[in-house]
């Protein structure tokens, strides 16, 4: 028995120092790969560029207008034919003042801020998947250690069964214990593979592998008070930057409306060519916006108020969302710390092995006591995982 237990601990120690696969990438490398290769992000960037180009349409003055008329005199013997030529260019203050361009520039920044949010969501999804995979890596490492113990215990009881030292019932218990941990390993592997496939889909690469068992987001430090964190970080949220920019668009549009309410004018050249008497000169036209822009100013004011209200609502929603994540992260971290402390104080695995070997406890008692320890260990892993998932969302706000 002592010989087999010695082998168990040697295998466990060796598992703890297995070098990661040469194909495995780092946390930041995978995020960079996703942001570089993701087709949805590439499409979003193209749509932003298209939107900016569309926003530049109509920023110039109206096209010049040329009118030519050839008029036949009647009666032809007494009245000469006449040629009229008019060339004019319209000028409007909305274009000349640059207000149209300012609106287009503000709308282009909305597109940029929207793209920032798309990037943030993609990065957040990647970080959450990596955090999930880290959990399964850590769980699998623990389950593999358990598998080594179960296999060794099965080997010991197989020998003892042959010698007649134990009953087949005890031997079957060890077989069931091996089967149980094997099932847990298969389930964890399937979950890990599912997350990995999702991650590979985001990066459009089937060569992504991530073997870390340490959470990258564990370095995120949250203050004790949510308001301190919110004051420092909430205003950086791309969703709020989008709303800020929409307010800027509404203000620019209000200035545009004011300039559109000013008269526009046109300058041109006019000529009347008749055999024997030609007339040429300059033409001037004025367009008075008496009806076309009616209620535009009031609508622009309402748009500014609506944009401000949308930002206030978005800020409130984000604050509530982040407060929930903040509280969840804090609570789960405290719970994980409690489980870890308890596990350290009641880690009696060596004593259990000794008691089983010396006959101080039955196999049933041994398996039951070890099950209690494993359940608490799993609860610690789950609490830590929940805390890290909340931290991951907060880290990429």
């Amino acid at each position: 028995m002592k010989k087999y237990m010695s082998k168990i601990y040697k295998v466990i120690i060796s598992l703890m120092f297995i070098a990661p696969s040469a194909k495995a990438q780092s946390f930041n490398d995978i995020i960079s790969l996703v942001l570089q290769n993701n087709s949805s992000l590439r499409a979003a960037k193209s749509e932003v560029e298209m939107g900016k180009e569309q926003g530049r349409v109509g920023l110039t003055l109206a096209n010049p207008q040329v009118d030519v008329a050839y008029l036949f005199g009647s009666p032809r013997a007494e009245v000469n034919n006449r040629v009229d030529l008019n060339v004019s260019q319209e000028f409007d203050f909305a274009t000349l003042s640059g207000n149209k361009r300012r609106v287009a520039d503000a709308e282009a920044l909305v597109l940029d801020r929207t793209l920032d949010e798309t990037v943030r969501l993609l990065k957040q999804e990647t970080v959450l998947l990596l955090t999930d995979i880290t959990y399964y890596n850590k769980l699998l490492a623990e389950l593999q250690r358990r598998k080594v113990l179960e296999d060794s215990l099965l080997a010991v009881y197989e020998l003892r069964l042959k010698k007649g030292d134990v009953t087949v019932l005890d031997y079957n218990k060890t077989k069931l214990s091996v089967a149980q941990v094997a099932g847990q390993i298969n389930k964890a592997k399937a979950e890990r593979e599912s997350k990995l496939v999702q991650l590979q889909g985001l990066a459009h690469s089937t060569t992504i592998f991530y073997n870390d068992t340490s959470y990258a987001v564990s370095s995120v430090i949250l203050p004790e008070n949510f308001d301190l964190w919110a004051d420092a970080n909430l205003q950086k949220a791309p969703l709020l930057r989008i709303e800020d920019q929409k307010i800027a668009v509404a203000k620019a549009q209000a200035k545009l409306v004011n300039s559109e309410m000013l008269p526009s004018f046109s300058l041109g050249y006019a000529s009347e060519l008749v055999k024997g008497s030609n007339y040429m000169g300059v033409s001037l036209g004025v367009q008075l916006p008496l009806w076309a822009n009616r209620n535009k100013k009031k609508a622009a004011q309402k748009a500014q108020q609506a944009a401000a209200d949308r930002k206030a609502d978005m800020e409130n929603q984000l604050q509530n969302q982040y407060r929930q994540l903040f509280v969840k992260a804090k609570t789960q971290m405290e719970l994980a710390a409690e489980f870890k402390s308890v596990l350290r104080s009641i880690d009696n695995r060596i004593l259990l092995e000794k008691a089983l070997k010396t006959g101080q406890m039955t196999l049933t008692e041994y398996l039951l006591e070890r099950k209690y320890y494993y359940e608490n260990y799993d609860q610690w892993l789950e609490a830590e995982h929940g805390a890290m998932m909340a931290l991951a969302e907060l880290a990429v706000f």
Side-chain angles (χ1 to χ4, degrees):
M1 183 77 171
K2 184 176 181 181
K3 178 181 178 182
Y4 283 104
M5 298 310 298
S6 176
K7 287 183 179 180
I8 292 174
Y9 291 115
K10 286 181 180 179
V11 174
I12 292 175
I13 295 298
S14 66
L15 283 172
M16 295 174 64
F17 294 96
I18 292 178
S21 169
K23 294 182 180 180
Q25 293 102 330
S26 71
F27 183 84
N28 290 326
D29 286 343
I30 292 175
I31 293 176
S32 298
L33 188 63
V34 168
L35 295 179
Q36 177 182 344
N37 293 348
N38 186 263
S39 60
S40 297
L41 180 58
R42 191 179 302 115
K45 289 179 179 178
S46 296
E47 289 176 358
V48 165
E49 292 305 314
M50 176 192 68
K52 287 182 178 180
E53 289 300 324
Q54 289 177 337
R56 296 186 183 103
V57 175
L59 298 183
T60 57
L61 291 171
N63 294 322
Q65 184 172 345
V66 179
D67 296 320
V68 179
Y70 188 88
L71 306 177
F72 297 94
S74 180
R76 298 187 63 179
E78 298 177 9
V79 181
N80 293 320
N81 295 338
R82 190 180 80 189
V83 177
D84 290 346
L85 173 64
N86 293 288
V87 179
S88 63
Q89 172 66 59
E90 184 181 357
F91 298 90
D92 64 285
F93 286 101
T95 302
L96 294 175
S97 64
N99 286 333
K100 279 187 177 181
R101 184 168 295 278
R102 292 187 186 95
V103 170
D105 290 343
E107 289 175 339
L109 285 175
V110 171
L111 294 175
D112 286 336
R113 299 292 83 79
T114 303
L115 182 61
D116 290 342
E117 173 63 7
T118 301
V119 172
R120 184 195 73 82
L121 289 173
L122 179 60
K123 185 176 180 181
Q124 185 182 73
E125 185 178 1
T126 304
V127 171
L128 289 172
L129 283 172
L130 287 169
T131 303
D132 268 332
I133 293 172
T134 303
Y135 164 72
Y136 288 112
N137 288 343
K138 197 166 186 175
L139 176 60
L140 281 168
E142 169 62 20
L143 292 175
Q144 292 290 356
R145 283 191 285 268
R146 295 178 191 177
K147 182 69 164 50
V148 171
L149 289 170
E150 301 300 337
D151 287 342
S152 299
L153 186 63
L154 177 62
V156 169
Y157 270 73
E158 187 175 7
L159 287 177
R160 294 183 64 183
L161 180 64
K162 292 178 180 179
K163 294 179 180 179
D165 294 339
V166 296
T167 66
V168 69
L169 292 176
D170 283 338
Y171 175 68
N172 287 340
K173 289 176 184 177
T174 60
K175 288 182 68 176
L176 288 173
S177 188
V178 169
Q180 183 180 35
V181 74
Q184 291 174 327
I185 289 174
N186 289 335
K187 181 180 178 182
K189 282 183 176 179
E191 295 289 346
R192 180 187 182 279
E193 185 63 24
S194 174
K195 299 296 180 181
L196 188 59
V197 169
Q198 291 181 53
L199 185 62
Q200 291 171 344
L202 291 181
H204 289 269
S205 172
T206 57
T207 61
I208 288 182
F209 295 95
Y210 189 66
N211 295 335
D212 284 11
T213 55
S214 297
Y215 291 103
V217 295
S218 62
S219 59
V220 177
I221 300 176
L222 297 178
E224 291 299 322
N225 186 280
F226 170 77
D227 293 331
L228 292 176
W229 179 88
D231 290 342
N233 296 282
L234 189 58
Q235 293 303 318
K236 299 177 185 177
L239 284 173
L240 287 184
R241 300 288 67 75
I242 292 173
E243 298 305 324
D244 281 338
Q245 197 54 46
K246 286 182 178 179
I247 292 175
V249 169
K251 290 180 178 179
Q253 286 175 334
K255 291 182 179 179
L256 175 61
V257 168
N258 288 335
S259 61
E260 286 176 339
M261 297 181 72
L262 296 173
S264 61
F265 63 94
S266 61
L267 293 174
Y269 165 82
S271 66
E272 183 180 298
L273 308 177
V274 182
K275 185 176 181 181
S277 59
N278 296 330
Y279 298 90
M280 290 173 272
V282 177
S283 65
L284 174 64
V286 178
Q287 186 182 64
L288 301 176
L290 298 179
W291 302 288
N293 294 326
R294 188 176 183 181
N295 292 327
K296 271 192 172 183
K297 188 171 184 178
K298 185 181 291 186
Q301 292 173 344
K302 294 294 184 182
Q304 289 187 73
Q305 184 60 49
D309 290 342
R310 280 196 305 268
K311 184 196 172 181
D313 179 58
M314 178 60 69
E315 188 170 5
N316 183 59
Q317 289 186 42
L318 286 178
Q319 191 168 34
N320 289 335
Q321 178 184 350
Y322 291 149
R323 186 183 296 275
Q324 291 175 24
L325 290 171
F326 187 92
V327 171
K328 179 181 178 181
K330 283 286 185 182
T331 304
Q332 293 288 79
M333 288 171 70
E334 291 171 359
L335 182 61
E338 290 178 8
F339 273 122
K340 193 171 185 179
S341 177
V342 170
L343 287 171
R344 285 175 176 172
S345 64
I346 64 167
D347 188 358
N348 55 3
R349 286 173 292 180
I350 296 178
L351 294 176
L352 290 176
E353 301 289 350
K354 184 176 180 181
L356 178 64
K357 183 179 67 174
T358 57
Q360 297 179 23
M361 63 168 29
T362 65
L363 177 63
T364 300
E365 292 172 332
Y366 169 79
L367 293 176
L368 186 60
E369 290 294 329
R370 197 168 62 178
K371 179 184 176 183
Y372 291 149
Y373 179 84
Y374 286 164
E375 286 177 349
N376 278 273
Y377 196 96
D378 292 343
Q379 287 180 316
W380 166 60
L381 288 179
E382 290 173 5
E384 183 187 44
H385 177 222
M388 293 303 106
M389 291 294 282
L391 276 181
E393 286 196 67
L394 288 172
V396 193
F397 54 84

